[in-house]
Amino acid sequence: MKIDNRALIECAQRLAQACRENETALCEADARLGDGDLGLTMSTGWRAIASDSDEWSDDCSKIFFQVSKSLQRSCASSFGTLQATGFMSAAKYCKSNNLTQLSHHDLAPILDCAWKAMADRGKGELGKKSVLDIIYGLSIDLAKADIVDYKVAAKQSVDRVLAEYRDRPNGLGRARMFAEKSIGVDDPGMLAVKVLVNAV
Amino acid sequence: MKKFLNKPEDYVDEMLAGMCLAHPNYYKQPIPRLICRATKPKYEKVAIVTGGGSGHLPLFTGYVGEGLLDAASIGDVFASPSSDLMTNTIKEVDQGKGVLLLYGNYGGDVMNFDMASENVEFEDDTQCMTVLGTDDIVSAPYAERGKRRGVAGIIYAYKTAGAMAETGASLEDVTRVAQKTVDMTRTMGCALTPCTLPRVGEPTFSIPEGKMEMGMGIHGEPGIHKSELKTANEIADEIIDNLLPELELKPGNEVSVLVNSLGATPLEELYILYNRISERMSELGVSIVLPLVGRYVTSMEMTGASISLCKLDEEMKELLLAPAECAFWKV
């Protein structure tokens, strides 16, 4: 089943709204383990994406590239650059596979490319309780999902990964410096992805 | 905090504006925080782009000039520029022969330059290659030298790669020369007093009166030890003793020596250090080519100095001595 590019624009508006509504909660979650600006990064970045979506083309490869550029222009933080990296990898996936319009079957391989590109850029790895684990989880779970259950499967996937890692220490980024304190606490980057998935 | 400034948030932009007004023959700023040559090269060449946080003048912007760099992206004080700015910087100077990204090995800069490199490849098929300055021997052991930070020694790579690019060489050759220069350059520093970031207002670290920190990085990264302030000769000896093992200098070898002020240390004291370094090189039977003594890479008003040794082969020596000109360095 194809995903209409118009639907992507509407989705971007919903995600921007969700980030704005969750700005304080994400900042508070980040402040426990980092510098407390994650909510601002998410709301600023997705506001820019939604604002720029008026100029999106009909080519999903170019749309993902434009999302990446919007994030780069609006968010100087490393989480902004990591998200931009994920969307850039999606753009490259579409370009190299000559995709101009997405189908649901493309989501899992795109997410697989995204976590690998983000791991490479951030010098990170799986299993350290970071945003990489939740995107990897989505790539695995969506590959097995039935098309009619995609949104449900995605929500279940993020909850599964959050629960799996909650009682482990953080091993990447600034949060690794608070490894003991991070046990029993959700990773802020994972929570940011949950906000996005719930709004899709 | 005692600084000549208006508003802390305007520090970088007013500094860049002033620099371009003071040196209009060398620099222009087509968009905020992007500094490029005042006049484009007369012929097609590989472009060399650098970038990083402010607070280190003449690094990075200062080394834009003929025989050196083509452009620089500048961030806030001690903060990486955005990948968006880096993308625009690459596009500004790319002439279709490829772009060498030559900058210091700092996490934010690496992440953003890699992103920018992907942007221009995706949009314009622009080919970028990357060489990272990794000359600070204190920041990681030799076995993990890919993790070392870039400090003052990167200007040698600017010089040789810049000269190579002016010959019309390919991107591969310009990159090879830059990497060889980085591989042949070692630096170690010593700090006596800290600096203050304009938007912070407090010193970034503290060193008690009468003490020094050997091996400290240019953003106040921890060094290898704190001790009583030693004599200039003792400091020079300790740094040289740390730099020599990896360079394996033999009688008859040639090196360039950079004695660099981290900001507040005066030329007089740099020459006292150079006096001892010159003696040490003579004892080894090593000749010094193009000695550099002055403010080349600073940390605002930090008191301290770094010493870099760049071991030369014939190709590097020729490139080092080739003509080059910017507002802060003329060969």
Side-chain angles (χ1 to χ4, degrees):
Chain A
M1 191 164 70
K2 295 286 184 187
I3 301 171
D4 183 57
N5 289 337
R6 185 70 231 164
L8 290 177
I9 294 176
E10 288 166 7
C11 181
Q13 306 290 343
R14 288 199 301 278
L15 267 53
Q17 169 80 13
C19 287
R20 188 160 55 246
E21 289 168 1
N22 286 276
E23 180 180 307
T24 304
L26 287 175
C27 281
E28 285 171 358
D30 190 35
R32 288 194 285 269
L33 302 173
D35 49 12
D37 66 351
L38 181 64
L40 287 169
T41 296
M42 294 300 291
S43 67
T44 306
W46 281 89
R47 186 169 61 237
I49 292 168
S51 166
D52 294 345
S53 67
D54 291 344
E55 295 169 15
W56 283 0
S57 74
D58 269 343
D59 180 335
C60 60
S61 166
K62 289 179 181 162
I63 288 174
F64 283 132
F65 180 70
Q66 285 164 313
V67 170
S68 176
K69 291 280 284 179
S70 298
L71 286 164
Q72 291 176 57
R73 203 184 59 255
S74 59
C75 307
S77 74
S78 54
F79 200 80
T81 304
L82 277 181
Q83 285 186 90
T85 301
F87 282 104
M88 172 64 93
S89 72
K92 285 180 165 181
Y93 175 89
C94 295
K95 191 177 183 183
S96 63
N97 288 285
N98 296 315
L99 294 178
T100 54
Q101 199 173 14
L102 284 179
S103 80
H104 287 82
H105 294 298
D106 298 316
L107 295 178
I110 282 174
L111 288 162
D112 188 54
C113 291
W115 80 258
K116 286 172 181 166
M118 292 163 77
D120 189 42
R121 175 124 315 137
K123 309 282 187 284
E125 56 188 298
L126 292 177
K128 300 287 186 183
K129 191 177 177 178
S130 78
V131 66
L132 300 177
D133 297 302
I134 206 157
I135 296 176
Y136 170 72
L138 278 166
S139 75
I140 296 297
D141 292 336
L142 290 186
K144 295 182 288 193
D146 194 311
I147 286 177
V148 290
D149 292 333
Y150 254 57
K151 287 187 184 177
V152 175
K155 287 178 183 176
Q156 287 173 345
S157 176
V158 295
D159 286 338
R160 175 185 69 75
V161 176
L162 277 163
E164 183 184 337
Y165 281 92
R166 189 164 293 131
D167 291 328
R168 297 197 206 174
N170 273 88
L172 276 182
R174 194 184 289 259
R176 77 182 189 284
M177 292 186 268
F178 306 96
E180 286 302 313
K181 204 174 155 189
S182 68
I183 294 171
V185 174
D186 286 330
D187 174 69
M190 288 191 187
L191 288 175
V193 174
K194 178 174 177 165
V195 167
L196 297 179
V197 166
N198 283 345
V200 165
Chain B
M1 176 171 71
K2 284 184 177 175
K3 285 181 184 289
F4 294 104
L5 54 77
N6 297 305
K7 292 181 196 161
E9 59 269 32
D10 294 336
Y11 190 86
V12 173
D13 295 307
E14 291 181 355
M15 172 273 289
L16 291 174
M19 198 180 92
C20 291
L21 288 168
H23 307 291
N25 294 338
Y26 293 111
Y27 310 117
K28 70 173 179 183
Q29 187 173 202
I31 62 169
R33 307 287 182 99
L34 189 175
I35 300 293
C36 63
R37 295 185 191 184
T39 47
K40 287 194 171 177
K42 297 178 189 71
Y43 45 87
E44 282 190 357
K45 64 182 273 298
V46 168
I48 305 178
V49 166
T50 194
S54 292
H56 304 299
L57 277 177
L59 194 78
F60 297 89
T61 41
Y63 296 109
V64 169
E66 202 170 328
L68 292 159
L69 307 171
D70 290 273
S73 304
I74 298 304
D76 284 329
V77 176
F78 292 4
S80 176
S82 70
S83 54
D84 191 51
L85 175 62
M86 292 169 176
T87 303
N88 289 329
T89 307
I90 295 167
K91 289 183 174 196
E92 177 70 25
V93 294
D94 174 39
Q95 295 178 292
K97 290 200 72 175
V99 181
L100 171 63
L101 308 177
L102 177 56
Y103 57 97
N105 188 22
Y106 294 89
D109 294 329
V110 172
M111 198 181 263
N112 286 332
F113 263 120
D114 283 353
M115 188 83 246
S117 180
E118 274 195 74
N119 287 337
V120 295
E121 187 190 357
F122 187 90
E123 276 188 303
D124 308 321
D125 287 325
T126 300
Q127 189 189 6
C128 292
M129 296 185 89
T130 297
V131 173
L132 299 175
T134 54
D135 55 308
D136 182 359
I137 62 163
V138 168
S139 49
Y142 181 73
E144 298 175 40
R145 57 194 178 282
K147 293 181 181 173
R148 286 177 173 175
R149 298 183 293 258
V151 284
I154 196 170
I155 68 162
Y156 284 115
Y158 288 168
K159 180 67 189 70
T160 57
M164 194 70 180
E166 297 290 345
T167 69
S170 67
L171 178 59
E172 287 71 21
D173 270 338
V174 175
T175 303
R176 176 185 60 77
V177 161
Q179 188 62 60
K180 181 167 69 167
T181 307
V182 167
D183 291 343
M184 289 291 104
T185 304
R186 300 288 186 278
T187 301
M188 185 166 154
C190 174
L192 309 184
T193 67
C195 60
T196 297
L197 276 62
R199 294 181 84 159
V200 177
E202 300 289 332
T204 47
F205 56 92
S206 65
I207 299 175
E209 187 61 34
K211 306 273 185 185
M212 55 179 247
E213 181 153 349
M214 184 61 79
M216 176 167 271
I218 58 172
H219 308 101
E221 295 93 340
I224 46 177
H225 66 77
K226 285 181 183 168
S227 68
E228 297 298 319
L229 183 58
K230 297 176 183 172
T231 67
N233 283 2
E234 287 170 333
I235 291 169
D237 281 340
E238 182 174 346
I239 293 178
I240 292 294
D241 289 342
N242 276 282
L243 298 179
L244 285 178
E246 291 185 19
L247 288 174
E248 298 177 342
L249 294 178
K250 297 182 180 68
N253 282 160
E254 293 181 308
V255 295
S256 182
V257 174
L258 165 60
V259 184
N260 172 57
S261 169
L262 294 177
T265 294
L267 276 170
E268 284 83 349
E269 293 166 32
L270 301 181
Y271 282 118
I272 293 171
L273 290 169
Y274 184 79
N275 185 44
R276 178 60 179 166
I277 297 162
S278 179
E279 275 179 19
R280 292 290 307 270
M281 293 301 118
S282 289
E283 288 165 13
L284 290 168
V286 170
S287 308
I288 298 177
V289 176
L290 195 72
L292 303 170
V293 180
R295 286 189 184 88
Y296 286 84
V297 175
T298 62
S299 290
M300 315 281 288
E301 73 279 24
M302 190 186 290
T303 312
S306 66
I307 299 171
S308 306
L309 296 181
C310 176
K311 185 178 178 182
L312 300 170
D313 63 13
E314 279 307 310
E315 181 185 44
M316 287 165 62
K317 181 181 172 184
E318 188 179 328
L319 294 167
L320 188 62
L321 295 174
E325 190 170 344
C326 66
F328 305 91
W329 190 13
K330 185 174 180 181
V331 180

